[in-house]
Amino acid sequence: MKIDPFSIMASLGAGLTLLWTVMLLKNRREYTDITSTKAARRLKLYQFFPVGFALIKLFKINVRGEGFAERRKNISVVYGARYAHFYAYLFTGAQITYAAMLLPAGLLAGAVLRNSVIGFLGVSSSVLMLFYLDAEVRKKASEKKDALLCELPETIMRLALLLNAGMVLRDAWKMISESSDSVLCLEMKKVNEDIRNGISETEAFEAFGDRCGTRETRRLVSSIIQNIKKGNMGLSLSLQDLASEQWEEKKNYVRKKAGAAEQKLLFPMLMIFSAIITMIVVPVFTNIL
């Protein structure tokens, strides 16, 4: 008796669809506190996330474990360390939901159209969905770090000049933060908000360092906190030295980025060069022959 692979695909797709539907109906009310948040509603198909959350619970996936450390690190840069665990849980549930939707859909489409390639693409897409949001967060974290590194030297120097002029740290910080809507200034504004909300200066600056997630901003925070404890004595001089170091690091970073860009352009240039050579050489040989 010959086994029809498309019948197997159809059975698997139908069974997974039924299971998916049952899980959604059973768990949709349990996770309304998460799916009703603004963070969840920014994502597509958030209404179906209870399926992913239920699977996290079923398979006892620990988003606080070492396996999710890199994800939490990138999330901390984009959304802040305070919300890292929440976003790790939310994104994991979203990714599992997307994968759980694409898998049966791909199998059923392949079975109906009697095309195994479509079924394979459905399975492949389902697997890729497990990494989709990670790539997005990683990209945002990288872009944010680039922007911070470019803005930091000038900001530190401005802060040092204002302190030298006799301005207190909080006022100087506020003035700089409100001068622009750049990535760094937006993070600085959050420090002002935290202090207004009753958080101590030390905790607010530490949270700033965690949100930015770069070695350079942590050095800035360390200098500020040390001098706060000393009564802001010598902070401007410390910041001037730090600004000089950051300018050098920025120059080195820009050189590395330029070198990386040149390497990325090398392959397309070789392809274009090969195509031009082919266009010239082939007609010559054709005429000779």
Side-chain angles (χ1 to χ4, degrees):
M1 181 179 176
K2 188 177 180 181
I3 299 175
D4 183 9
F6 298 111
S7 297
I8 297 174
M9 288 171 61
S11 299
L12 282 173
L16 289 172
T17 301
L18 178 61
L19 179 63
W20 187 91
T21 305
V22 170
M23 292 187 72
L24 177 63
L25 295 174
K26 184 180 178 182
N27 297 282
R28 62 180 179 177
R29 292 184 180 179
E30 183 178 348
Y31 299 100
T32 51
D33 58 329
I34 300 175
T35 56
S36 61
T37 60
K38 289 182 179 179
R41 290 176 180 272
R42 291 193 191 103
L43 301 174
K44 295 177 181 178
L45 305 174
Y46 66 89
Q47 303 94 330
F48 304 117
F49 288 177
V51 174
F53 300 142
L55 289 171
I56 290 175
K57 184 178 180 180
L58 178 65
F59 292 105
K60 297 180 180 179
I61 299 172
N62 182 17
V63 298
R64 295 174 180 263
E66 287 299 319
F68 291 82
E70 184 66 24
R71 180 179 300 182
R72 292 196 305 272
K73 181 180 177 182
N74 289 323
I75 287 172
S76 296
V77 173
V78 180
Y79 301 103
R82 190 183 305 175
Y83 306 105
H85 290 110
F86 169 75
Y87 276 100
Y89 181 77
L90 174 63
F91 289 165
T92 302
Q95 290 174 170
I96 293 174
T97 300
Y98 296 150
M101 292 175 71
L102 278 174
L103 180 58
L107 291 172
L108 287 173
V112 171
L113 298 173
R114 300 190 69 79
N115 190 324
S116 57
V117 174
I118 293 177
F120 175 76
L121 289 174
V123 175
S124 302
S125 300
S126 175
V127 173
L128 288 174
M129 279 295 105
L130 295 173
F131 306 97
Y132 162 66
L133 289 174
D134 285 342
E136 288 290 310
V137 172
R138 191 158 48 244
K139 180 183 176 182
K140 288 181 180 178
S142 178
E143 290 174 349
K144 183 175 181 179
K145 286 180 178 179
D146 288 349
L148 289 171
L149 191 59
C150 290
E151 297 172 31
L152 198 58
E154 183 180 353
T155 300
I156 295 174
M157 184 58 73
R158 289 175 63 191
L159 190 61
L161 290 173
L162 290 173
L163 292 175
N164 260 338
M167 191 174 287
V168 297
L169 174 62
R170 189 181 298 185
D171 291 342
W173 187 275
K174 183 179 179 181
M175 178 180 288
I176 294 172
S177 69
E178 293 177 349
S179 65
S180 170
D181 287 326
S182 65
V183 173
L184 182 57
C185 286
L186 289 174
E187 292 297 340
M188 292 175 72
K189 287 176 184 177
K190 291 177 184 177
V191 175
N192 302 332
E193 293 172 8
D194 286 344
I195 293 173
R196 281 199 302 269
N197 291 332
I199 297 175
S200 68
E201 281 190 336
T202 300
E203 291 176 344
F205 282 115
E206 286 176 345
F208 166 78
D210 290 336
R211 283 195 308 273
C212 294
T214 65
R215 179 173 56 86
E216 293 77 16
T217 50
R218 288 195 178 97
R219 288 183 63 190
L220 169 62
V221 168
S222 177
S223 296
I224 290 174
I225 291 175
Q226 286 177 12
N227 283 275
I228 286 175
K229 293 176 180 178
K230 296 176 183 177
N232 289 335
M233 294 297 293
L235 178 57
S236 60
L237 292 175
S238 176
L239 292 178
Q240 286 177 27
D241 293 338
L242 183 59
S244 300
E245 293 177 18
Q246 294 304 316
W247 278 115
E248 291 302 317
E249 290 193 18
K250 180 180 177 179
K251 290 177 186 177
N252 294 331
Y253 180 76
V254 170
R255 290 193 194 101
K256 289 180 181 178
K257 292 287 284 186
E262 289 176 1
Q263 290 180 356
K264 288 181 180 179
L265 290 172
L266 182 60
F267 181 72
M269 289 173 65
L270 288 173
M271 292 293 291
I272 294 170
F273 179 73
S274 300
I276 293 171
I277 293 296
T278 303
M279 291 171 62
I280 296 172
V281 172
V282 170
V284 170
F285 274 98
T286 302
N287 292 332
I288 292 174
L289 295 174

